[in-house]
Amino acid sequence: MRRGRRRSLRLGFSLAAVAALVLLLPAGAVAAADAEDESFAGAFVVNASNGYKILGIPFARGNPEHGELALFVGRKGESVIYFTRGKVTPTAVEVDLGSVAKVDFTFVPSGRKKRAHSPCDKKHGVEYEAGNYVGSFEFRGEEGFATASVTRTPVRIEPLLAFGCAGSLRGETWGKGFPGARLRIRQRRGSERLSVQLNKNRPSQRTLFEANLDETRGKVQIHRGVGGLVGASAFSYAPDVRTARTSPPAPFSGTASFDRSASRPWRGNLTVDFPGRSGVPLVTPDAKVSLVHARWDVEVAHHDRPSSLLRASRFAPWLSTKR
């Protein structure tokens, strides 16, 4: 068995974290990148039903018709991120996400200057003209997982300043010699990609799980994710990692077993619920399943100079960085 190591950035499911994620994305995350200048048109935060919050970050481009919107809907352990193109200028956002959401906002300045700081950099701040997005915002999450409707909401800069303040590096090492194990399920159907992973460092320890589903619906790209810690009984495995059984609680349902020597190694009726996509089957003919010895650990990752990113970015004309 080969031995390897993987480290990946895990931003979690907070508004500050997704702001960092959006800032890390390249221009044209929804479509092919072009040479147009871009800027952030100011974020907005809206409370939704069932305990969800919605963070919207519009990207203005040189051509207003080629603007982009990153829309994050999340609560603890669950998130959905939508990316699409629409009409975005430094002072207006007009984006249609089909049956999911419609945004028609105009920035109305208050005439007052405000100053905001990153949570992890109190020395460097951003001065901007306060104001509100006025117009309409309607959100209807698939399968009714969350809804929201507002006609006025303040322009928010703080989520953008939180870049790098909320995050962690998850390290994983796999190979012989570890008492823990990792079960990974992957599926790909057309433009959809599904990945589910369960980890334990020892048989008696709790189970870490993470599931992600990427899909495209028309012009909208969607990333759904769930994750967290559940009990030790959710995932059990043989010491030689030739067999395993998993029966995790919600957001999962059902059970599944893995037997490396069987003609059908992966059997069962296990499914997982994502916000907006419930009952996604994990035991299918095209599922690729692996079981290996592994160990995972998490270390907090901080960006010590988030303001340097802000100074390098082309924000809307009413936003200026001050030292």
Side-chain angles (χ1 to χ4, degrees):
M1 181 183 295
R2 71 189 182 97
R3 189 181 182 92
R5 179 173 295 172
R6 184 184 67 166
R7 300 181 78 210
S8 56
L9 183 64
R10 303 292 175 180
L11 291 171
F13 298 93
S14 69
L15 295 182
V18 78
L21 173 62
V22 171
L23 289 173
L24 283 169
L25 291 171
V30 178
D34 54 36
E36 296 173 303
D37 287 344
E38 67 170 19
S39 64
F40 297 103
F44 58 89
V45 177
V46 175
N47 291 323
S49 62
N50 300 321
Y52 286 91
K53 282 186 178 293
I54 301 175
L55 167 66
I57 302 181
F59 297 79
R61 308 296 295 276
N63 183 338
E65 300 294 335
H66 293 173
E68 296 172 347
L69 176 68
L71 195 65
F72 169 82
V73 188
R75 66 181 182 184
K76 184 178 180 180
E78 303 177 6
S79 70
V80 186
I81 304 175
Y82 303 88
F83 291 99
T84 193
R85 285 209 172 210
K87 185 176 180 180
V88 181
T89 73
T91 58
V93 183
E94 186 179 341
V95 179
D96 187 347
L97 288 87
S99 61
V100 174
K102 288 182 173 59
V103 187
D104 189 358
F105 276 149
T106 299
F107 173 66
V108 178
S110 66
R112 295 182 296 106
K113 295 288 186 179
K114 291 185 68 175
R115 188 174 178 83
H117 292 83
S118 162
C120 58
D121 185 359
K122 300 299 183 182
K123 294 182 179 180
H124 304 89
V126 168
E127 185 178 90
Y128 67 99
E129 184 170 6
N132 294 284
Y133 278 127
V134 178
S136 65
F137 173 80
E138 298 286 339
F139 179 83
R140 298 289 182 270
E142 306 96 322
E143 301 182 358
F145 81 91
T147 62
S149 177
V150 297
T151 58
R152 184 183 186 92
T153 187
V155 169
R156 300 282 297 272
I157 303 302
E158 296 86 350
L160 305 177
L161 303 183
F163 171 76
C165 294
S168 62
L169 286 170
R170 176 171 138 187
E172 183 180 84
T173 309
W174 65 91
K176 292 182 178 180
F178 294 104
R182 178 199 70 205
L183 178 69
R184 179 184 291 167
I185 308 123
R186 289 181 172 175
Q187 298 176 14
R188 182 169 183 175
R189 297 190 197 94
S191 63
E192 284 195 8
R193 293 187 179 186
L194 174 70
S195 175
V196 180
Q197 186 165 317
L198 296 97
N199 284 78
K200 291 173 72 172
N201 284 346
R202 291 185 180 277
S204 60
Q205 290 186 351
R206 299 177 73 188
T207 303
L208 174 75
F209 76 90
E210 180 180 352
N212 296 283
L213 177 63
D214 295 315
E215 57 188 288
T216 301
R217 295 190 178 184
K219 65 176 184 178
V220 182
Q221 292 185 8
I222 307 171
H223 174 84
R224 307 182 198 271
V226 292
L229 282 167
V230 293
S233 61
F235 171 39
S236 59
Y237 52 91
D240 60 1
V241 294
R242 296 191 62 82
T243 61
R245 178 177 174 82
T246 180
S247 180
F252 296 90
S253 180
T255 63
S257 60
F258 177 80
D259 185 342
R260 198 184 307 276
S261 61
S263 58
R264 285 182 53 203
W266 184 233
R267 296 170 178 266
N269 60 352
L270 188 66
T271 65
V272 61
D273 293 340
F274 294 97
R277 281 283 302 271
S278 59
V280 177
L282 302 183
V283 183
T284 62
D286 60 342
K288 299 182 184 299
V289 183
S290 63
L291 177 66
V292 297
H293 283 293
R295 174 179 176 81
W296 67 271
D297 53 61
V298 174
E299 60 184 78
V300 176
H302 291 284
H303 193 291
D304 60 351
R305 290 295 300 277
S307 294
S308 63
L309 178 86
L310 299 177
R311 287 193 293 274
S313 301
R314 293 179 289 276
F315 280 78
W318 42 269
L319 178 62
S320 59
T321 305
K322 302 291 185 181
R323 290 187 64 87

